């Protein structure tokens, strides 16, 4: 009709007005239609951000230095089909090369809450770091990506040395990613812990509730981190365990010449530190702090079995033997519930994933190593530290409950370990755990 009208010369003015109006309408329509073909990083942060209408699974974001490849439709499932893993979704710039240069890789895992510790770990450990991180849902994933981006921009050691692997509960895989990278310019590079505390306020109460009901899968996370190391030896820690300075190079040299071929585990003693001190620069510095009561064996006051078999008094006496790593002594009084941090080849038994949450997670793996015939050698003069002197507190009810759940599973586990290795050196078949 418009066209026919246009053919009439005397109506040309009307035609022009109609076409102009149509044009304006089209422009307006275009402006307010969401464009799903573009990435969906929101650049501004309006007070009440509208829900993004683009449910976009193909998330390859690029903006300046920022880019992450994370197709949430992919990933791989864990053996229980409960979690989805995304390996190496952010690769440290030097990570591949560091894996070739070093004989040992540090494997670590963290929930969002404790991720700030990674900064100190990466500043102390010059080798490759394989870090698995957990996100319980959309909000946590977005915060996690934002926080890691901030870490990678502010901390060159994190950017260079750390490769990140992600685990998300399968039932809670987000459909889209929506992060506001402009926010990073307002964050203080020198205060990673404070920055994280601020960000954690944005975790939804729904996610917090879900986490209250669903335990953190520590052992899944450990296996994920371990198996992404590319070196001959793996050194598994928790993210808040800080290695002494120069440890990566020293361990690298030590492990290159070690003559143990199989079933050796090298224990690195762990101390806890008073928050007020400076991180000890070497073993004698650590012992000076210990003499003043400002450092002590990890969990000594809370759960002495945790590290008891390491025999700290023996370790403390092997001083003045040079700064090269050497074996201080062999663990001779291995006992159940011992859970040292150690370096070993990664054909060591996996962390059993039926144990989730607190209790029986790390020590069951160490227990299986012992049954399988591993020897544990305590190394000196290197060590690790955990910030804060722990004191006996009443444990929260949820923690006690998780521990009880895991204790029930231990019975099956110990029988399987016995059948698998045909030995019962600690007489566990006859023991009942109270
Ligand atoms: C250990 O560290 C202390 C304090 O920094 C320093 O005075 C001392 O010389 C160091 N000892 C060795 C053997 O490096
Ligand atoms: C630790 O070593 C000391 C000195 O060698 C020894 O007397 C003590 O029995 C050991 N303690 C444990 C718990 O093994």
């Amino acid at each position: 009709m418009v066209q026919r009208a246009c053919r009439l010369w005397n109506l040309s003015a009307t035609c022009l007005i109609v076409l102009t109006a149509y044009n304006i309408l089209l422009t307006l329509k275009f402006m307010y239609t969401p464009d799903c073909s573009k990435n969906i990083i929101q650049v501004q942060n309006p007070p009440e951000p509208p829900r993004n209408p683009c449910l976009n699974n193909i998330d390859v974001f690029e903006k300046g230095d920022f880019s992450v490849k994370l197709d949430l439709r992919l990933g791989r499932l864990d053996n229980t089909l409960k979690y989805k893993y995304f390996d190496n979704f952010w690769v440290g710039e030097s990570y591949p090369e560091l894996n070739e240069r070093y004989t040992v890789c540090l494997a670590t895992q963290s929930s969002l809450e404790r991720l700030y510790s990674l900064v100190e770990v990466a500043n102390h450990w010059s080798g490759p770091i394989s870090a698995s991180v957990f996100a319980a849902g959309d909000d946590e994933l977005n915060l996690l990506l934002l926080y890691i981006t901030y870490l990678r921009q502010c901390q060159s050691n994190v950017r260079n040395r750390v490769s990140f692997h992600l685990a998300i509960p399968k039932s809670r895989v987000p459909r889209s990613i929506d992060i506001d990278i402009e926010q990073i310019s307002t964050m203080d590079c020198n205060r990673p812990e404070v920055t994280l505390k601020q960000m954690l306020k944005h975790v939804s109460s729904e996610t917090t509730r879900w986490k209250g009901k669903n335990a953190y899968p520590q052992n899944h996370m450990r296996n994920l981190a371990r198996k992404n190391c590319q070196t001959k030896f793996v050194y598994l820690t928790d993210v808040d365990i800080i290695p002494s300075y120069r440890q990566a190079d020293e361990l690298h040299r030590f492990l290159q010449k070690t003559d143990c071929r199989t079933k050796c585990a090298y224990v690195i003693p762990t101390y806890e530190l008073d928050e007020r001190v400076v991180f000890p620069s070497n073993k004698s510095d650590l012992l000076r702090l210990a003499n003043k009561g400002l450092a002590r064996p990890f969990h000594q006051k809370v759960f002495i079995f945790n590290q008891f078999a390491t025999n700290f008094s023996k370790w403390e006496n092997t001083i003045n033997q040079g700064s090269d790593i050497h074996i201080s002594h062999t663990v001779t009084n291995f006992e159940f519930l011992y859970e040292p941090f150690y370096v070993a080849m990664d054909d060591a038994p996996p962390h059993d994933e039926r144990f989730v949450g607190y209790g029986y997670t790390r020590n069951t793996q160490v227990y299986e190593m012992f049954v399988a015939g591993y020897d544990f050698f305590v190394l000196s003069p290197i060590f690790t530290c955990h910030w804060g002197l722990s004191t006996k507190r009443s444990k929260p009810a949820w923690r006690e409950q998780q521990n009880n759940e895991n204790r029930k599973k231990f019975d099956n586990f110990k029988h399987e370990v016995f059948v698998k290795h045909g030995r019962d050196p600690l007489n566990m078949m006859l023991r009942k755990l109270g």
Side-chain angles (χ1 to χ4, degrees):
M1 199 196 111
V2 176
Q3 280 181 351
R4 191 181 300 161
C6 281
R7 280 192 217 109
L8 301 168
W9 186 240
N10 58 353
L11 283 179
S12 64
T14 320
C15 171
L16 202 69
I17 288 162
V18 168
L19 279 176
T20 310
Y22 190 55
N23 214 346
I24 290 167
L25 259 170
L26 273 180
T27 311
L28 283 175
K29 183 167 182 283
F30 198 70
M31 273 171 69
Y32 290 103
T33 304
D35 180 3
C36 291
S37 68
K38 286 210 202 111
N39 72 44
I40 50 163
I41 295 170
Q42 293 196 336
V43 179
Q44 291 104 16
N45 194 17
E48 272 301 313
R51 272 206 68 78
N52 200 309
C54 310
L55 292 179
N56 189 350
N57 301 93
I58 312 158
D59 293 313
V60 181
F61 294 142
E62 271 170 318
K63 187 166 195 296
D65 289 345
F66 176 85
S67 111
V68 61
K69 274 196 182 136
L70 198 55
D71 189 336
L72 295 168
R73 297 166 305 177
L74 302 180
R76 77 191 157 90
L77 288 163
D78 79 302
N79 292 336
T80 60
L81 312 183
K82 280 178 77 174
Y83 303 99
K84 262 192 162 199
Y85 296 152
F86 300 85
D87 301 270
N88 293 301
F89 73 97
W90 254 317
V91 180
E93 283 170 12
S94 314
Y95 185 76
E97 182 222 323
L98 289 173
N99 270 281
E100 289 180 344
R101 189 135 56 87
Y102 283 84
T103 44
V104 58
C105 157
L106 189 87
T108 193
Q109 47 88 26
S110 183
S111 57
L112 178 59
E113 289 87 345
R114 294 193 303 165
L115 198 53
Y116 63 89
S117 290
L118 193 61
V119 174
E120 201 177 3
V121 171
N123 288 342
H124 285 225
W125 180 265
S126 54
I129 300 172
S130 167
S132 55
V133 289
F134 186 78
D138 309 47
D139 49 346
E140 269 205 0
L141 179 61
N142 288 325
L143 292 171
L144 187 74
L145 293 177
L146 185 63
Y147 190 65
I148 296 177
T149 305
Y150 153 82
L151 289 183
R152 283 168 53 93
Q153 283 191 10
C154 292
Q155 310 287 337
S156 60
N157 289 334
V158 172
R159 182 171 64 246
N160 289 327
R161 298 169 177 174
V162 186
S163 261
F164 290 93
H165 325 294
L166 174 68
I168 313 179
K170 190 182 158 221
S171 59
R172 293 174 67 81
V173 173
R175 282 181 297 180
S176 68
I177 297 174
D178 181 2
I179 67 172
D180 172 17
I181 6 172
E182 298 294 304
Q183 253 186 52
I184 291 170
S185 58
T186 67
M187 296 176 177
D188 184 346
C189 274
N190 298 315
R191 305 180 78 192
E193 184 172 356
V194 175
T195 303
L196 181 58
K197 291 242 159 71
Q198 291 296 326
M199 285 178 55
L200 287 174
K201 292 183 189 151
H202 300 286
V203 174
S204 68
S205 50
E206 194 274 326
T207 297
T208 307
R209 259 199 312 281
W210 186 88
K211 285 164 70 175
K213 291 202 205 96
N214 297 271
Y216 177 73
Q218 305 191 16
N219 278 1
H220 292 75
M221 301 303 286
R222 291 185 173 120
N223 290 329
L224 179 58
R226 280 173 61 176
K227 290 306 174 200
N228 273 298
C229 278
Q230 309 292 323
T231 52
K232 179 171 173 188
F233 291 93
V234 170
Y235 180 9
L236 177 84
T237 62
D238 290 338
V239 76
D240 49 5
I241 300 296
I242 318 293
S244 53
Y245 294 109
R246 300 171 297 279
Q247 195 169 126
D249 289 305
E250 289 165 5
L251 267 175
H252 169 69
R253 277 197 295 279
F254 170 80
L255 293 168
Q256 266 185 323
K257 56 179 203 265
T258 174
D259 48 8
C260 180
R261 294 274 166 264
T262 55
K263 301 204 168 170
C264 297
Y266 299 101
V267 172
I268 293 93
T270 305
Y271 279 73
E272 51 191 37
L273 286 180
D274 191 297
E275 304 269 10
R276 293 164 298 181
V277 305
V278 174
F279 195 95
S281 43
N282 53 42
K283 182 171 171 179
S284 20
D285 204 16
L286 173 68
L287 298 187
R288 181 184 61 81
L289 294 174
N291 284 333
K292 290 186 182 165
L294 297 169
R296 66 183 175 216
F298 189 43
H299 281 173
Q300 192 182 44
K301 293 275 153 69
V302 181
F303 186 63
I304 193 166
F305 300 113
N306 186 282
Q307 309 281 317
F308 191 63
T310 294
N311 198 340
F312 287 84
S313 54
K314 213 167 184 173
W315 186 78
E316 291 180 3
N317 284 327
T318 55
I319 192 157
N320 298 329
Q321 295 187 6
S323 59
D324 281 351
I325 295 183
H326 54 273
I327 292 170
S328 159
H329 57 280
T330 306
V331 171
T332 49
N333 56 337
F334 190 100
E335 55 193 339
F336 180 56
L337 299 181
Y338 181 41
E339 51 177 15
F341 294 102
Y342 63 83
V343 171
M345 277 170 57
D346 209 44
D347 51 2
H351 284 76
D352 196 294
E353 293 175 357
R354 84 191 86 180
F355 300 110
V356 288
Y358 272 93
Y360 298 87
T361 52
R362 222 152 42 73
N363 53 35
T364 44
Q365 191 273 342
V366 177
Y367 167 71
E368 182 172 356
M369 285 172 84
F370 184 66
V371 176
Y374 277 78
D375 285 317
F376 291 82
F377 303 102
V378 182
L379 298 185
S380 180
I382 53 170
F383 54 90
T384 58
C385 290
H386 179 275
W387 284 110
L389 300 177
S390 48
T391 47
K392 253 203 169 90
R393 285 163 297 204
S394 52
K395 282 187 198 153
W398 59 267
R399 205 165 152 159
E400 200 52 50
Q401 194 194 334
Q402 292 181 356
N403 198 57
N404 291 339
E405 289 300 313
N406 283 340
R407 183 184 299 128
K408 287 182 214 150
K409 296 174 189 164
F410 180 73
D411 226 37
N412 277 334
F413 175 78
K414 74 175 185 188
H415 282 98
E416 287 170 27
V417 167
F418 173 58
V419 170
K420 188 163 153 197
H421 302 284
R423 300 171 70 224
D424 184 20
L426 296 179
N427 289 319
M428 294 301 288
M429 291 308 106
L430 299 172
R431 263 163 80 174
K432 264 236 157 313
L433 300 176

